[in-house]
Amino acid sequence: EVQLLESGGGLVQPGGSLRISCAASGFTFSSSVMSWVRQAPGKGLEWVSVISASGGNKYYADAVKGRFTISRDASKNTLYLQMSSLRVEDTAVYYCAKGDYDFWSGYGHWGQGTLVIVSS
Amino acid sequence: QSALTQPASVSGSPGQSITISCTGTSNDVGGYKYVSWYQQHPGKAPKLMIYDVNNRPSGVSSRFSGSKSGNTASLTISGLQAEDEADYFCSSYTSTTARVVFGGGTKLTVL
């Protein structure tokens, strides 16, 4: 069974940094496209970033480009999102998602999310 | 403002069929097969219902179907059930920025 377990969320001040993680199990992590999608409280879904199976290709939403870095560690079956220069508008539940089809196709498996609150 | 346009809400009675639209441009919905639909119940993670315009993941009911015409994609739910009441989001690849964009979401109410 595919399982994705996010962790590392919490309260951080504007301008601060935070790294969130997603522990994967139940599938071949090193062969899977992985992504981060966020959802601000009471709002819709917003795509954040995607990383290829090898880690060699990474793409970011304009809203986070230059501030967020997606990475993966195949030895730990873990996906990361390093977030810096955080802004109030980055407050959201961050979901880890697994790509099950083509690189830009839909995400068939999601974690339960981790809440990041950016506030002074 | 979301890149893809969805109606804010739709409603239907049990047993009826409803369709949710998702309008984009030739740079996203109209130009690529990478249109997906997600269902989200309150407090839960999204669930993939349709990928690549009209494909259902294993385990998704055949009551859910997807289609596309020009720059507008559609999700149709037939034989509405109370459990279908949820928020629905469409997404698409966009060549404008080589990214994924979501619609603003549609709240489905089963009367």
Side-chain angles (χ1 to χ4, degrees):
Chain A
E1 178 191 4
V2 172
Q3 290 195 353
L4 300 170
L5 184 62
E6 300 94 336
S7 62
L11 176 64
V12 61
Q13 292 189 337
S17 298
L18 193 67
R19 188 180 79 163
I20 57 177
S21 304
C22 171
S25 61
F27 63 99
T28 305
F29 180 74
S30 59
S31 298
S32 299
V33 171
M34 300 296 298
S35 183
W36 289 100
V37 177
R38 69 184 180 183
Q39 186 169 35
K43 302 297 183 181
L45 300 174
E46 181 183 16
W47 181 84
V48 173
S49 182
V50 64
I51 186 169
S52 62
S54 67
N57 292 297
K58 306 173 184 181
Y59 297 86
Y60 300 92
D62 287 344
V64 307
K65 193 171 185 179
R67 300 188 298 122
F68 290 12
T69 301
I70 191 171
S71 63
R72 60 194 302 159
D73 185 335
S75 68
K76 296 182 178 179
N77 282 357
T78 300
L79 175 73
Y80 302 101
L81 186 67
Q82 177 69 48
M83 303 180 289
S84 61
S85 301
L86 282 161
R87 305 167 181 169
V88 171
E89 55 264 37
D90 294 318
T91 294
V93 173
Y94 284 73
Y95 292 103
C96 161
K98 174 182 177 292
D100 287 338
Y101 313 101
D102 286 352
F103 189 85
W104 295 111
S105 290
Y107 303 121
H109 295 87
W110 296 62
Q112 86 293 343
T114 188
L115 177 61
V116 173
I117 300 174
V118 184
S119 175
S120 56
Chain B
Q1 187 173 358
S2 302
L4 304 179
T5 301
Q6 299 180 233
S9 63
V10 298
S11 63
S13 300
Q16 288 186 332
S17 295
I18 63 95
T19 297
I20 300 172
S21 62
C22 172
T23 301
T25 70
S26 58
N27 293 321
D28 39 65
V29 173
Y32 301 90
K33 71 172 186 176
Y34 300 122
V35 176
S36 297
W37 288 91
Y38 298 90
Q39 176 192 65
Q40 187 180 35
H41 288 108
K44 301 295 187 182
K47 176 185 177 182
L48 181 67
M49 307 304 286
I50 296 289
Y51 70 95
D52 293 356
V53 177
N54 56 11
N55 292 280
R56 271 190 315 276
S58 175
V60 172
S61 171
S62 59
R63 298 186 298 105
F64 291 83
S65 62
S67 63
K68 187 178 77 168
S69 178
N71 296 335
T72 298
S74 299
L75 173 71
T76 298
I77 308 174
S78 59
L80 266 181
Q81 300 179 359
E83 67 208 49
D84 299 332
E85 185 164 293
D87 293 324
Y88 291 84
F89 297 91
C90 64
S91 73
S92 174
Y93 168 78
T94 173
S95 61
T96 303
T97 53
R99 308 289 184 267
V100 172
V101 289
F102 280 94
T106 298
K107 181 177 181 58
L108 169 62
T109 301
V110 180
L111 303 171

